Every structure is written in C-alpha cells, then in structure tokens.
Amino acid sequence: MSRNLINITDLTVEEINKLIETADDIVANHADYEDICRHKKLATLFFEPSTRTRLSFEAAMLELGGSVLGFSSANSSSAAKGESVSDTIMTVGNYVDIIAMRHPKEGAPIVAAKRAEVPIINAGDGGHFHPTQTLTDLLTIKRKKGRLNNLTIGLCGDLKFGRTVHSLIEAMLRYEGIKFVLISPDELKVPEYVIENMQKAGAEFYETESLEDAMPELDILYMTRIQKERFFNEEDYVRLKDSYILNLEKLDNAKEDLTIMHPLPRVNEISVEVDDDPRACYFFQALCGKHIRMALILFLLGIEK
Amino acid sequence: MDISGVKNGIVIDHIKAGKSMQIYDLLGLGKIDNTVALIKNASSEKYGKKDIIKIDEIIDLDYDVLGYVDSNITVNIVEDNRLAKKLHMELPEKLVNVVKCKNPRCITSVEQEIVHEFRLVDKEKKIYRCCYCDAEHRVK
Ligand SMILES: [Zn+2]
C-alpha cells in the first residue's frame, strides 16, 4: 500500500518536520535535487480548475527533473463523459508514479486512494481538506519565525467557511504555546467543532470583531477573503468588509516582525500598498508552497537524496 | 423474558414499541423461510411497551444493524427451550450501507456505486461521521 496525503493529520509532527527539513535542503543544495525524479511522472487531475495549485504542483515536479501530465477541468477530462473517480484513477494509475487530484466533491480523494496503487495527494476536495495549503503555511511560519511553537496567531476574515483556517488551526494545535486570536464578524465565526477542538487541546484563544484591537499582540496575521454571498444583505456586507481590509494604517500598531499571510488569490482584503511592507509574506508563501510540494513528492515516492 | 413457543431459536427483546417492522426489514427477515413472529406493544416493566421478534431457528443476524437501530435491544439465543445466551447490543464502530450520507457536497451523492460508510466518533452522544466527507450523523 502506498502512502497518501488526504488530510494534514495523516502526517505525524515528525513527518512534517522532516518535510520542512527537506524543503530547506532543496533551497540550500538545489543541484542535488535537479534530476532526482528523472523518469518519474506526476499526474495533476483537476476535476475543477485551480490554476494556482496546479501550477505549483507542476513546477515542483519539473524542478525535481520529473514530468507532468493531466487535465485542468472536468470538461477536458473523461469525467465529462460520466466516468467515475475510481475508473479514472485505475486508468491513470497505470501511466504515472504519483497523482495530485482536486475535486469539487468532498471525500473524492478517499475514493481514489482506495483504488490507487500509486500515492494520492489531495489538492483540495470541495470545502473539506486542502493539506498542501496547510503544509505551505507551516513551512512559511517556520521559515519566518524559526519555530512552530510559542506563537500568537491572528486569523482574520471568513472563519466560518474558510477551510484553510480550520486545517491550519488543526495543524497548529499539535504544537506547544500557540494562542489563537479569531477575528471575524459575528456572522462568520469559526464553527463550534473548531472551538471544541481548541478546548480539548487546551489551547488559548479568544474571538473578537476588531482587527485593530487584536493587532499589537500578533506574531502572525493570516488574512482570508470575505465573500459577498456569505451575507444575508448588502448593507451588512458593505458595513463590515472595510473593517477586514488590511492597509498600512491598520498595521500602525503591529509588531515590527509580524508575518502577514494569505492563501491567495487575494481580491481586495489586503490593499496593494501593503505588498511592499517587509511584513507582507504572501508571495513568499507561494514560493514555500512549491518547495513543500517538492519535499512531499519525494517523501511519498520514497526518494531520498 | 418470554421465550415461550421457541424451542431452538432467537428472541429479539426490548425493541422500542413500533420499531419491530423496521428491524424486520433491516434484518431481511422477509426473505427467509423460517417462522418469524412479530409481537407489538407487549408490556414491559422497564419501558412500558415494547416489541419482540421471535425466530424459530438460530440464524446469523447482523448485530451491527440491531445495535444501530436501538442499543437497548437484547438478543436471546434459545436452545432446547432454555436461554443459552443473552447478548446486549452496542452501537457498532462502523456502519456500512446502513445509512446514506445526506451532505449534497459529498462524493457519495454523485457516484452511486460507492459504499456508504460511517464511523462512530462519540459513543455517548451517538455521533457518527461519514468516512468520506466527515458529515455528522446523529442516531435518534
Ligand atoms: Zn459524506
């Protein structure tokens, strides 16, 4: 049975540490990795489009000297003709060494993993899991802060539907001394089960509606988008959206070494004037995304340098 | 417990009143050739009213289904007119094709041939989660 990555908790803390080490070694000793996946193939099976994630996977495999094939939407795949996930995987599994798949339905990668003989990476299944985003976030935090413990992490925006936020919390609960500051309008607070998980793990946290009040104590500020459709009426949306847009003024009382993160794509929740501030790390985060995917591909293929 | 009328067989006792037909269907008792007796609204010291099912042979039953439907059910195995074994039901760790996931975003909602699976996550609160999408299912 091959290893898969469906949810971030499929990996132990030790395994995550190892991935982070490999990602750093890829940067330090790049030449050692240039051909390491020669003759290996990655399939990117994207049953729904996500250009950013797909390109990140493809860049990762190409940089390891491997090659890639796949499709970028259900329309251009056999799924449009009604083929099941299992059948697609059973077929493609004959062509490649590892598969990254994204699917609009929750649990689709689990169906795939049951049939596949090659490793399956969940590249997002609806609103359910997106573990490589979480790995990206962890690597970014580690590189910027030098540690994954003893941090105060502000999570801002749509905390109700934002799956990246839920799995980042789940992943960070495994480290000591993490404090969460949950910044959102009342309508978009984190779901009850996330609160329960934080309580169970004994983590410190509080909820607030004010980004400005929370700002001074934050080591990390993780911004997410607030979507208009999440609100019952236009007035609430217009009233609230501005208070969750990050600009230089709101950063006035922030720490000097704050790390500002965002899963991207951004729409307007971080104003472009922030991009040149040294605390803005969201494009660096995209780079980390490629490095951690390289490390993950090596790990799942069982390749060491 | 009344095992009268059963020489060798099974008496499913302490079924919540009104639930015996559901259990009859779930266990597929309509498809077997044995004599099966359904007793509805029998009086019970514990529950006021209860249903009972009697089967005149010791056959294999899906105890997971029984435990899921009602964990208060007891199964009595009768041999030579005597109570040979009394089994208490429990909520099963896994439900396979017993309930369907109701989450419209779940992969099982679009692909018919997938086996519906739930795992028990909280015994006290009787909460199961879909093995695919983690949607919650509470046992009533
Ligand atoms: Zn489901």
Side-chain angles (χ1 to χ4, degrees), chain A residues 151-293:
Chain A
L151 292 163
T152 299
I153 304 174
L155 300 145
C156 178
D158 179 357
L159 306 186
K160 186 175 181 185
F161 300 97
R163 67 173 170 196
T164 51
V165 167
H166 303 160
S167 38
L168 181 59
I169 292 174
E170 195 172 12
M172 292 305 297
L173 281 177
R174 303 201 280 187
Y175 299 92
E176 292 280 310
I178 301 296
K179 177 177 175 182
F180 298 100
V181 183
L182 308 163
I183 308 151
S184 74
D186 201 41
E187 293 88 336
L188 297 175
K189 292 207 292 198
V190 290
E192 196 50 41
Y193 83 91
V194 177
I195 298 277
E196 279 171 21
N197 285 347
M198 287 189 288
Q199 285 166 339
K200 258 186 245 164
E204 198 183 333
F205 68 94
Y206 71 89
E207 297 180 283
T208 174
E209 293 206 348
S210 167
L211 175 57
E212 272 130 319
D213 288 355
M215 194 66 88
E217 67 169 314
L218 303 181
D219 297 311
I220 287 159
L221 173 58
Y222 199 100
M223 294 293 296
T224 62
R225 181 149 48 110
I226 293 187
Q227 283 167 288
K228 208 172 171 175
E229 329 54 286
R230 305 294 193 209
F231 284 89
F232 295 114
N233 60 64
E234 182 87 19
E235 289 121 73
D236 279 349
Y237 173 71
V238 172
R239 179 173 57 82
L240 285 164
K241 75 168 176 62
D242 284 349
S243 47
Y244 300 100
I245 291 178
L246 185 65
N247 53 26
L248 287 176
E249 198 192 322
K250 290 204 183 79
L251 281 170
D252 263 354
N253 59 353
K255 281 187 184 173
E256 290 283 311
D257 65 343
L258 173 71
T259 298
I260 304 166
M261 297 169 67
H262 189 295
L264 302 179
R266 141 184 78 173
V267 178
N268 61 356
E269 54 280 7
I270 301 178
S271 117
V272 286
E273 64 182 19
V274 177
D275 295 1
D276 293 328
D277 190 290
R279 292 169 287 190
C281 299
Y282 26 95
F283 294 111
F284 174 71
Q285 204 176 339
L287 176 67
C288 293
K290 182 184 69 175
H291 291 150
I292 204 73
R293 286 182 177 97

Side-chain angles (χ1 to χ4, degrees), chain A residues 106, chain B residues 101 103 106-108 118 130 132-135:
Chain A
E106 302 174 7
Chain B
C101 183
N103 175 6
C106 181
I107 185 68
T108 59
F118 283 78
C130 173
Y132 299 95
C133 72
D134 294 294

Side-chain angles (χ1 to χ4, degrees), chain A residues 25 59 91 141 143 173 176 207 263 301:
Chain A
D25 193 54
T91 309
I141 294 171
R143 282 180 172 174
L173 281 177
E176 292 280 310
E207 297 180 283
L301 288 176

Side-chain angles (χ1 to χ4, degrees), chain B:
Chain B
M1 212 279 308
D2 175 26
I3 56 167
S4 62
V6 180
K7 186 164 183 275
N8 287 298
I10 299 173
V11 178
I12 307 171
D13 198 11
H14 297 298
I15 301 169
K16 205 169 175 191
K19 281 224 175 181
S20 54
M21 266 320 282
Q22 188 194 350
I23 288 171
Y24 181 87
D25 289 335
L26 279 169
L27 292 176
L29 297 179
K31 293 177 207 128
I32 59 171
D33 293 330
N34 304 79
T35 307
V36 178
L38 246 73
I39 300 157
K40 293 175 83 170
N41 299 319
S43 56
S44 154
E45 282 168 32
K46 248 183 175 167
Y47 305 104
K49 292 254 185 253
K50 65 176 181 180
D51 287 2
I52 304 167
I53 295 174
K54 296 181 182 184
I55 306 163
D56 75 342
E57 198 187 318
I58 299 165
I59 56 169
D60 280 336
L61 290 179
D62 185 347
Y63 293 127
D64 282 353
V65 167
L66 286 175
Y68 168 71
V69 174
D70 185 351
S71 50
N72 290 317
I73 288 173
T74 50
V75 174
N76 303 283
I77 310 291
V78 182
E79 285 170 14
D80 291 329
N81 293 316
R82 306 178 93 170
L83 181 61
K85 222 194 287 173
K86 193 181 186 96
L87 304 168
H88 293 275
M89 296 299 109
E90 279 189 346
L91 278 182
E93 287 297 319
K94 252 195 174 172
L95 295 176
V96 179
N97 280 338
V98 179
V99 274
K100 288 199 164 182
C101 183
K102 290 196 182 73
N103 175 6
R105 298 177 309 276
C106 181
I107 185 68
T108 59
S109 72
V110 287
E111 294 204 1
Q112 311 309 326
E113 75 284 4
I114 298 173
V115 175
H116 288 254
E117 277 182 68
F118 283 78
R119 62 177 190 280
L120 183 62
V121 291
D122 192 324
K123 215 171 185 174
E124 254 107 78
K125 292 187 190 153
K126 301 185 174 182
I127 299 171
Y128 284 88
R129 282 192 189 280
C130 173
C131 291
Y132 299 95
C133 72
D134 294 294
E136 198 176 277
H137 173 76
R138 283 173 188 263
V139 183
K140 277 166 231 115

